[in-house]
Amino acid sequence: MQPNEVLLFITDALDALGVMYCVGGSFASSTYGEPRATRDVDILAALPATKARPFVLQIEAEFFVQLSDLYDAITLAPSLHNSPMQRASCNLVHRNSFFRVDLFIASDRPYERAQFARRIPQIVAINPERQAYFVSPEDIILLKLDWYRMAQGILDRQWSDVQAVLATQGDTLDTAYLRHWAKQLAISDLLDAALRGVPPPRLTPPDDAAAQLRLDL
């Protein structure tokens, strides 16, 4: 499978179960900015425990997935509601291509609800045409800046992705929305620098960044 086919396999399974989701990460930034290769896809999903087993049954023929890992992420998610630096996730790895899907379980944070409310259907494949729900251009900017902050500035790709989305989307962006949520996420300084096209504020990298963070390649 191509990466877009891997993505659609997962989003089709979520759609079939009536689970709300939105695609983020480099898939979204490539859609709204400058395309680039990536080895994974990020999906935020409001997946309840009652639908975990049916979801695994739908995908396990094509993906390496542990039901116990998915249950653990679903159980953990509510406890992270007030912990913006942490995410509950489960890795799904395609058996043939080894392309990874990072499934983030929604913890009902206000900003997650905002992402779901603004998600946009995007064409992912043609002949036949198929769609999946992506985060909005504004939200991928905010999410990339948030990852950049959590990585303490070591993920240059995140910053360049933001700049590409800003350049491509231009005046169509809702700057009021951007500024509102940047303040809530404590990334106003990063957003201001990105909007002005100047280098980001200096951040101090953690001692062992690779061990502490999921690097979005």
Side-chain angles (χ1 to χ4, degrees), residues 47-50 52 67-81 87-90 105-107:
L47 182 68
T50 54
L67 180 59
S68 59
D69 291 346
L70 186 55
Y71 274 134
D72 287 346
I74 292 171
T75 301
L76 177 63
S79 69
L80 303 181
H81 179 86
R87 307 285 190 272
S89 66
C90 179
I105 306 302
S107 60

Side-chain angles (χ1 to χ4, degrees), residues 31-87:
T31 297
Y32 299 126
E34 181 178 343
R36 70 170 175 86
T38 181
R39 291 183 290 199
D40 67 358
V41 59
D42 294 348
I43 301 177
L44 175 68
L47 182 68
T50 54
K51 295 184 178 180
R53 184 179 293 276
F55 174 69
V56 169
L57 289 174
Q58 286 196 56
I59 70 169
E60 63 182 354
E62 293 285 343
F63 287 82
F64 295 108
V65 53
Q66 293 292 327
L67 180 59
S68 59
D69 291 346
L70 186 55
Y71 274 134
D72 287 346
I74 292 171
T75 301
L76 177 63
S79 69
L80 303 181
H81 179 86
N82 296 317
S83 303
M85 297 291 283
Q86 299 183 55
R87 307 285 190 272

Side-chain angles (χ1 to χ4, degrees), residues 37-193:
T38 181
R39 291 183 290 199
D40 67 358
V41 59
D42 294 348
I43 301 177
L44 175 68
L47 182 68
T50 54
K51 295 184 178 180
R53 184 179 293 276
F55 174 69
V56 169
L57 289 174
Q58 286 196 56
I59 70 169
E60 63 182 354
E62 293 285 343
F63 287 82
F64 295 108
V65 53
Q66 293 292 327
L67 180 59
S68 59
D69 291 346
L70 186 55
Y71 274 134
D72 287 346
I74 292 171
T75 301
L76 177 63
S79 69
L80 303 181
H81 179 86
N82 296 317
S83 303
M85 297 291 283
Q86 299 183 55
R87 307 285 190 272
S89 66
C90 179
N91 293 334
L92 318 173
V93 180
H94 187 249
R95 292 180 182 272
N96 292 328
S97 67
F98 292 98
F99 192 81
R100 189 180 78 234
V101 176
D102 292 326
L103 188 68
F104 293 87
I105 306 302
S107 60
D108 200 36
R109 294 185 179 99
Y111 181 52
E112 291 172 343
R113 295 198 297 270
Q115 290 174 60
F116 286 138
R118 292 169 58 90
R119 64 184 190 153
I120 300 171
Q122 297 288 345
I123 297 173
V124 179
I126 57 176
N127 296 326
E129 181 178 301
R130 298 175 67 191
Q131 296 183 337
Y133 284 101
F134 281 45
V135 297
S136 71
E138 291 84 1
D139 287 313
I140 196 57
I141 290 170
L142 293 165
L143 290 165
K144 288 280 182 177
L145 291 177
D146 199 33
W147 275 114
Y148 186 84
R149 178 201 60 177
M150 285 191 287
Q152 295 295 295
I154 67 170
L155 299 181
D156 292 337
R157 286 188 181 91
Q158 305 288 11
W159 189 258
S160 60
D161 286 344
V162 168
Q163 292 293 334
V165 176
L166 286 170
T168 302
Q169 300 299 316
D171 293 338
T172 66
L173 292 168
D174 185 342
T175 54
Y177 178 87
L178 283 169
R179 293 191 183 281
H180 169 77
W181 281 109
K183 182 177 181 181
Q184 301 301 314
L185 297 169
I187 54 173
S188 292
D189 56 339
L190 294 177
L191 177 63
D192 287 342

